mmCIF file of all heavy atoms in Angstrom:
data_model
loop_
_atom_site.group_PDB
_atom_site.id
_atom_site.type_symbol
_atom_site.label_atom_id
_atom_site.label_comp_id
_atom_site.label_asym_id
_atom_site.label_seq_id
_atom_site.Cartn_x
_atom_site.Cartn_y
_atom_site.Cartn_z
ATOM 1 N N HIS A 121 3.302 -4.061 -58.685
ATOM 2 C CA HIS A 121 2.997 -5.098 -57.690
ATOM 3 C C HIS A 121 2.447 -4.471 -56.419
ATOM 4 O O HIS A 121 1.500 -4.984 -55.808
ATOM 5 C CB HIS A 121 4.263 -5.897 -57.406
ATOM 6 C CG HIS A 121 4.055 -7.100 -56.542
ATOM 7 N ND1 HIS A 121 5.090 -7.850 -56.075
ATOM 8 C CD2 HIS A 121 2.945 -7.682 -56.052
ATOM 9 C CE1 HIS A 121 4.626 -8.844 -55.328
ATOM 10 N NE2 HIS A 121 3.318 -8.757 -55.304
ATOM 11 N N ARG A 122 3.034 -3.368 -55.984
ATOM 12 C CA ARG A 122 2.600 -2.680 -54.767
ATOM 13 C C ARG A 122 1.183 -2.155 -54.922
ATOM 14 O O ARG A 122 0.349 -2.293 -54.024
ATOM 15 C CB ARG A 122 3.564 -1.554 -54.443
ATOM 16 C CG ARG A 122 3.309 -0.865 -53.134
ATOM 17 C CD ARG A 122 4.396 0.120 -52.774
ATOM 18 N NE ARG A 122 4.675 1.092 -53.823
ATOM 19 C CZ ARG A 122 5.756 1.107 -54.582
ATOM 20 N NH1 ARG A 122 6.689 0.183 -54.439
ATOM 21 N NH2 ARG A 122 5.931 2.032 -55.502
ATOM 22 N N LYS A 123 0.859 -1.555 -56.087
ATOM 23 C CA LYS A 123 -0.494 -1.035 -56.312
ATOM 24 C C LYS A 123 -1.526 -2.159 -56.312
ATOM 25 O O LYS A 123 -2.617 -2.022 -55.741
ATOM 26 C CB LYS A 123 -0.553 -0.280 -57.638
ATOM 27 C CG LYS A 123 0.137 1.061 -57.586
ATOM 28 C CD LYS A 123 0.136 1.708 -58.952
ATOM 29 C CE LYS A 123 0.978 2.975 -58.944
ATOM 30 N NZ LYS A 123 1.133 3.534 -60.295
ATOM 31 N N ALA A 124 -1.188 -3.283 -56.927
ATOM 32 C CA ALA A 124 -2.099 -4.428 -56.938
ATOM 33 C C ALA A 124 -2.295 -4.980 -55.532
ATOM 34 O O ALA A 124 -3.410 -5.315 -55.125
ATOM 35 C CB ALA A 124 -1.565 -5.509 -57.874
ATOM 36 N N LEU A 125 -1.199 -5.077 -54.777
ATOM 37 C CA LEU A 125 -1.277 -5.565 -53.401
ATOM 38 C C LEU A 125 -2.183 -4.685 -52.555
ATOM 39 O O LEU A 125 -3.074 -5.178 -51.846
ATOM 40 C CB LEU A 125 0.126 -5.606 -52.788
ATOM 41 C CG LEU A 125 0.204 -5.893 -51.289
ATOM 42 C CD1 LEU A 125 0.150 -7.385 -51.055
ATOM 43 C CD2 LEU A 125 1.454 -5.317 -50.701
ATOM 44 N N LEU A 126 -1.983 -3.374 -52.632
ATOM 45 C CA LEU A 126 -2.788 -2.456 -51.822
ATOM 46 C C LEU A 126 -4.245 -2.445 -52.278
ATOM 47 O O LEU A 126 -5.155 -2.357 -51.448
ATOM 48 C CB LEU A 126 -2.177 -1.058 -51.861
ATOM 49 C CG LEU A 126 -0.842 -0.927 -51.133
ATOM 50 C CD1 LEU A 126 -0.231 0.439 -51.370
ATOM 51 C CD2 LEU A 126 -0.999 -1.186 -49.649
ATOM 52 N N ALA A 127 -4.478 -2.545 -53.588
ATOM 53 C CA ALA A 127 -5.863 -2.593 -54.078
ATOM 54 C C ALA A 127 -6.569 -3.845 -53.580
ATOM 55 O O ALA A 127 -7.730 -3.788 -53.136
ATOM 56 C CB ALA A 127 -5.883 -2.543 -55.603
ATOM 57 N N ASN A 128 -5.893 -4.987 -53.614
ATOM 58 C CA ASN A 128 -6.492 -6.234 -53.127
ATOM 59 C C ASN A 128 -6.723 -6.192 -51.625
ATOM 60 O O ASN A 128 -7.770 -6.652 -51.131
ATOM 61 C CB ASN A 128 -5.597 -7.423 -53.479
ATOM 62 C CG ASN A 128 -5.629 -7.746 -54.951
ATOM 63 O OD1 ASN A 128 -6.617 -7.478 -55.629
ATOM 64 N ND2 ASN A 128 -4.550 -8.300 -55.458
ATOM 65 N N MET A 129 -5.766 -5.647 -50.884
ATOM 66 C CA MET A 129 -5.944 -5.558 -49.433
ATOM 67 C C MET A 129 -7.055 -4.581 -49.073
ATOM 68 O O MET A 129 -7.832 -4.828 -48.141
ATOM 69 C CB MET A 129 -4.628 -5.155 -48.764
ATOM 70 C CG MET A 129 -3.596 -6.263 -48.783
ATOM 71 S SD MET A 129 -2.022 -5.780 -48.103
ATOM 72 C CE MET A 129 -2.464 -5.450 -46.431
ATOM 73 N N ALA A 130 -7.171 -3.472 -49.806
ATOM 74 C CA ALA A 130 -8.243 -2.509 -49.549
ATOM 75 C C ALA A 130 -9.602 -3.129 -49.845
ATOM 76 O O ALA A 130 -10.569 -2.930 -49.093
ATOM 77 C CB ALA A 130 -8.035 -1.253 -50.384
ATOM 78 N N THR A 131 -9.679 -3.898 -50.926
ATOM 79 C CA THR A 131 -10.927 -4.597 -51.253
ATOM 80 C C THR A 131 -11.296 -5.565 -50.137
ATOM 81 O O THR A 131 -12.460 -5.610 -49.707
ATOM 82 C CB THR A 131 -10.769 -5.347 -52.585
ATOM 83 O OG1 THR A 131 -10.499 -4.396 -53.613
ATOM 84 C CG2 THR A 131 -12.015 -6.128 -52.937
ATOM 85 N N SER A 132 -10.332 -6.337 -49.657
ATOM 86 C CA SER A 132 -10.608 -7.282 -48.575
ATOM 87 C C SER A 132 -11.036 -6.562 -47.304
ATOM 88 O O SER A 132 -11.941 -7.017 -46.601
ATOM 89 C CB SER A 132 -9.372 -8.129 -48.292
ATOM 90 O OG SER A 132 -9.064 -8.925 -49.397
ATOM 91 N N LEU A 133 -10.393 -5.451 -47.005
ATOM 92 C CA LEU A 133 -10.749 -4.683 -45.811
ATOM 93 C C LEU A 133 -12.175 -4.151 -45.909
ATOM 94 O O LEU A 133 -12.943 -4.229 -44.946
ATOM 95 C CB LEU A 133 -9.767 -3.536 -45.609
ATOM 96 C CG LEU A 133 -10.030 -2.623 -44.408
ATOM 97 C CD1 LEU A 133 -9.886 -3.401 -43.113
ATOM 98 C CD2 LEU A 133 -9.091 -1.446 -44.425
ATOM 99 N N ILE A 134 -12.553 -3.648 -47.060
ATOM 100 C CA ILE A 134 -13.895 -3.097 -47.227
ATOM 101 C C ILE A 134 -14.943 -4.205 -47.179
ATOM 102 O O ILE A 134 -16.001 -4.045 -46.563
ATOM 103 C CB ILE A 134 -13.981 -2.297 -48.541
ATOM 104 C CG1 ILE A 134 -13.153 -1.021 -48.409
ATOM 105 C CG2 ILE A 134 -15.420 -1.968 -48.897
ATOM 106 C CD1 ILE A 134 -12.891 -0.309 -49.706
ATOM 107 N N MET A 135 -14.647 -5.340 -47.786
ATOM 108 C CA MET A 135 -15.624 -6.429 -47.824
ATOM 109 C C MET A 135 -15.759 -7.133 -46.465
ATOM 110 O O MET A 135 -16.857 -7.468 -46.040
ATOM 111 C CB MET A 135 -15.238 -7.451 -48.895
ATOM 112 C CG MET A 135 -15.224 -6.884 -50.301
ATOM 113 S SD MET A 135 -16.800 -6.207 -50.842
ATOM 114 C CE MET A 135 -17.687 -7.691 -51.222
ATOM 115 N N HIS A 136 -14.637 -7.351 -45.777
ATOM 116 C CA HIS A 136 -14.654 -8.127 -44.533
ATOM 117 C C HIS A 136 -14.598 -7.283 -43.277
ATOM 118 O O HIS A 136 -14.747 -7.806 -42.175
ATOM 119 C CB HIS A 136 -13.494 -9.128 -44.522
ATOM 120 C CG HIS A 136 -13.543 -10.097 -45.652
ATOM 121 N ND1 HIS A 136 -14.484 -11.085 -45.762
ATOM 122 C CD2 HIS A 136 -12.764 -10.206 -46.755
ATOM 123 C CE1 HIS A 136 -14.288 -11.777 -46.856
ATOM 124 N NE2 HIS A 136 -13.245 -11.266 -47.496
ATOM 125 N N LYS A 137 -14.315 -5.989 -43.412
ATOM 126 C CA LYS A 137 -14.256 -5.011 -42.323
ATOM 127 C C LYS A 137 -13.072 -5.207 -41.388
ATOM 128 O O LYS A 137 -12.823 -4.395 -40.524
ATOM 129 C CB LYS A 137 -15.534 -5.002 -41.465
ATOM 130 C CG LYS A 137 -16.838 -4.934 -42.238
ATOM 131 C CD LYS A 137 -16.933 -3.713 -43.088
ATOM 132 C CE LYS A 137 -18.295 -3.576 -43.707
ATOM 133 N NZ LYS A 137 -18.447 -4.195 -45.004
ATOM 134 N N ARG A 138 -12.310 -6.286 -41.525
ATOM 135 C CA ARG A 138 -11.158 -6.542 -40.656
ATOM 136 C C ARG A 138 -10.273 -7.585 -41.327
ATOM 137 O O ARG A 138 -10.770 -8.620 -41.764
ATOM 138 C CB ARG A 138 -11.672 -7.060 -39.321
ATOM 139 C CG ARG A 138 -10.658 -7.725 -38.461
ATOM 140 C CD ARG A 138 -11.312 -8.370 -37.282
ATOM 141 N NE ARG A 138 -11.122 -7.514 -36.131
ATOM 142 C CZ ARG A 138 -11.354 -7.873 -34.900
ATOM 143 N NH1 ARG A 138 -11.841 -9.045 -34.625
ATOM 144 N NH2 ARG A 138 -11.134 -7.047 -33.908
ATOM 145 N N ILE A 139 -8.971 -7.300 -41.418
ATOM 146 C CA ILE A 139 -8.040 -8.272 -41.977
ATOM 147 C C ILE A 139 -6.781 -8.314 -41.122
ATOM 148 O O ILE A 139 -6.482 -7.364 -40.399
ATOM 149 C CB ILE A 139 -7.673 -7.979 -43.453
ATOM 150 C CG1 ILE A 139 -7.029 -6.607 -43.621
ATOM 151 C CG2 ILE A 139 -8.874 -8.127 -44.354
ATOM 152 C CD1 ILE A 139 -6.495 -6.349 -45.004
ATOM 153 N N GLU A 140 -6.050 -9.417 -41.224
ATOM 154 C CA GLU A 140 -4.796 -9.562 -40.496
ATOM 155 C C GLU A 140 -3.651 -9.546 -41.496
ATOM 156 O O GLU A 140 -3.690 -10.253 -42.509
ATOM 157 C CB GLU A 140 -4.768 -10.870 -39.704
ATOM 158 C CG GLU A 140 -3.539 -10.983 -38.843
ATOM 159 C CD GLU A 140 -3.569 -12.193 -37.931
ATOM 160 O OE1 GLU A 140 -4.441 -13.054 -38.116
ATOM 161 O OE2 GLU A 140 -2.709 -12.270 -37.052
ATOM 162 N N THR A 141 -2.645 -8.746 -41.209
ATOM 163 C CA THR A 141 -1.493 -8.595 -42.086
ATOM 164 C C THR A 141 -0.301 -8.138 -41.256
ATOM 165 O O THR A 141 -0.401 -8.052 -40.035
ATOM 166 C CB THR A 141 -1.810 -7.600 -43.225
ATOM 167 O OG1 THR A 141 -0.713 -7.539 -44.114
ATOM 168 C CG2 THR A 141 -2.130 -6.231 -42.696
ATOM 169 N N THR A 142 0.807 -7.851 -41.919
ATOM 170 C CA THR A 142 1.964 -7.344 -41.184
ATOM 171 C C THR A 142 1.750 -5.869 -40.849
ATOM 172 O O THR A 142 0.943 -5.186 -41.467
ATOM 173 C CB THR A 142 3.252 -7.502 -42.007
ATOM 174 O OG1 THR A 142 3.141 -6.727 -43.186
ATOM 175 C CG2 THR A 142 3.510 -8.953 -42.354
ATOM 176 N N VAL A 143 2.495 -5.380 -39.881
ATOM 177 C CA VAL A 143 2.346 -3.993 -39.442
ATOM 178 C C VAL A 143 2.715 -3.029 -40.565
ATOM 179 O O VAL A 143 2.022 -2.031 -40.794
ATOM 180 C CB VAL A 143 3.193 -3.726 -38.183
ATOM 181 C CG1 VAL A 143 3.196 -2.263 -37.818
ATOM 182 C CG2 VAL A 143 2.673 -4.547 -37.017
ATOM 183 N N ALA A 144 3.774 -3.318 -41.314
ATOM 184 C CA ALA A 144 4.191 -2.429 -42.401
ATOM 185 C C ALA A 144 3.115 -2.336 -43.477
ATOM 186 O O ALA A 144 2.794 -1.239 -43.964
ATOM 187 C CB ALA A 144 5.505 -2.920 -43.001
ATOM 188 N N LYS A 145 2.533 -3.478 -43.844
ATOM 189 C CA LYS A 145 1.468 -3.466 -44.854
ATOM 190 C C LYS A 145 0.219 -2.771 -44.312
ATOM 191 O O LYS A 145 -0.488 -2.087 -45.051
ATOM 192 C CB LYS A 145 1.126 -4.882 -45.290
ATOM 193 C CG LYS A 145 2.163 -5.513 -46.170
ATOM 194 C CD LYS A 145 1.727 -6.917 -46.540
ATOM 195 C CE LYS A 145 2.830 -7.657 -47.243
ATOM 196 N NZ LYS A 145 2.477 -9.074 -47.452
ATOM 197 N N ALA A 146 -0.071 -2.954 -43.025
ATOM 198 C CA ALA A 146 -1.241 -2.308 -42.430
ATOM 199 C C ALA A 146 -1.095 -0.789 -42.456
ATOM 200 O O ALA A 146 -2.043 -0.063 -42.765
ATOM 201 C CB ALA A 146 -1.447 -2.798 -41.001
ATOM 202 N N LYS A 147 0.112 -0.290 -42.155
ATOM 203 C CA LYS A 147 0.329 1.156 -42.185
ATOM 204 C C LYS A 147 0.224 1.692 -43.608
ATOM 205 O O LYS A 147 -0.336 2.768 -43.840
ATOM 206 C CB LYS A 147 1.690 1.493 -41.585
ATOM 207 C CG LYS A 147 1.736 1.306 -40.083
ATOM 208 C CD LYS A 147 3.115 1.621 -39.546
ATOM 209 C CE LYS A 147 3.165 1.429 -38.035
ATOM 210 N NZ LYS A 147 4.510 1.709 -37.505
ATOM 211 N N ALA A 148 0.765 0.960 -44.584
ATOM 212 C CA ALA A 148 0.662 1.376 -45.979
ATOM 213 C C ALA A 148 -0.788 1.338 -46.443
ATOM 214 O O ALA A 148 -1.251 2.235 -47.161
ATOM 215 C CB ALA A 148 1.525 0.482 -46.856
ATOM 216 N N LEU A 149 -1.534 0.314 -46.013
ATOM 217 C CA LEU A 149 -2.937 0.192 -46.384
ATOM 218 C C LEU A 149 -3.766 1.318 -45.779
ATOM 219 O O LEU A 149 -4.682 1.836 -46.421
ATOM 220 C CB LEU A 149 -3.482 -1.162 -45.930
ATOM 221 C CG LEU A 149 -4.946 -1.441 -46.229
ATOM 222 C CD1 LEU A 149 -5.216 -1.412 -47.728
ATOM 223 C CD2 LEU A 149 -5.360 -2.776 -45.643
ATOM 224 N N LYS A 150 -3.440 1.723 -44.570
ATOM 225 C CA LYS A 150 -4.161 2.822 -43.921
ATOM 226 C C LYS A 150 -4.012 4.102 -44.738
ATOM 227 O O LYS A 150 -4.996 4.816 -44.964
ATOM 228 C CB LYS A 150 -3.618 3.023 -42.502
ATOM 229 C CG LYS A 150 -4.363 4.045 -41.707
ATOM 230 C CD LYS A 150 -3.886 4.069 -40.273
ATOM 231 C CE LYS A 150 -4.774 4.968 -39.461
ATOM 232 N NZ LYS A 150 -4.623 4.780 -38.035
ATOM 233 N N MET A 151 -2.787 4.378 -45.199
ATOM 234 C CA MET A 151 -2.573 5.571 -46.026
ATOM 235 C C MET A 151 -3.286 5.461 -47.376
ATOM 236 O O MET A 151 -3.657 6.467 -47.971
ATOM 237 C CB MET A 151 -1.073 5.773 -46.267
ATOM 238 C CG MET A 151 -0.324 6.232 -45.040
ATOM 239 S SD MET A 151 1.455 6.324 -45.271
ATOM 240 C CE MET A 151 1.617 7.162 -46.824
ATOM 241 N N TYR A 152 -3.484 4.251 -47.852
ATOM 242 C CA TYR A 152 -4.111 4.018 -49.153
ATOM 243 C C TYR A 152 -5.635 4.107 -49.077
ATOM 244 O O TYR A 152 -6.281 4.682 -49.943
ATOM 245 C CB TYR A 152 -3.690 2.629 -49.650
ATOM 246 C CG TYR A 152 -4.156 2.262 -51.031
ATOM 247 C CD1 TYR A 152 -3.423 2.637 -52.147
ATOM 248 C CD2 TYR A 152 -5.302 1.497 -51.228
ATOM 249 C CE1 TYR A 152 -3.820 2.269 -53.419
ATOM 250 C CE2 TYR A 152 -5.707 1.129 -52.489
ATOM 251 C CZ TYR A 152 -4.968 1.520 -53.583
ATOM 252 O OH TYR A 152 -5.364 1.167 -54.844
ATOM 253 N N VAL A 153 -6.226 3.537 -48.023
ATOM 254 C CA VAL A 153 -7.681 3.365 -47.994
ATOM 255 C C VAL A 153 -8.413 4.556 -47.369
ATOM 256 O O VAL A 153 -9.567 4.816 -47.721
ATOM 257 C CB VAL A 153 -8.048 2.033 -47.295
ATOM 258 C CG1 VAL A 153 -7.996 2.151 -45.797
ATOM 259 C CG2 VAL A 153 -9.397 1.537 -47.730
#
Side-chain angles (χ1 to χ4, degrees):
H121 188 187
R122 186 172 53 252
K123 287 176 187 173
L125 171 84
L126 291 173
N128 288 333
M129 288 176 64
T131 299
S132 295
L133 179 64
I134 290 167
M135 298 301 283
H136 300 291
K137 311 301 187 269
R138 164 189 259 193
I139 59 173
E140 185 173 11
T141 184
T142 63
V143 173
K145 287 180 189 173
K147 288 179 180 179
L149 179 61
K150 185 173 188 164
M151 288 175 46
Y152 185 86
V153 80

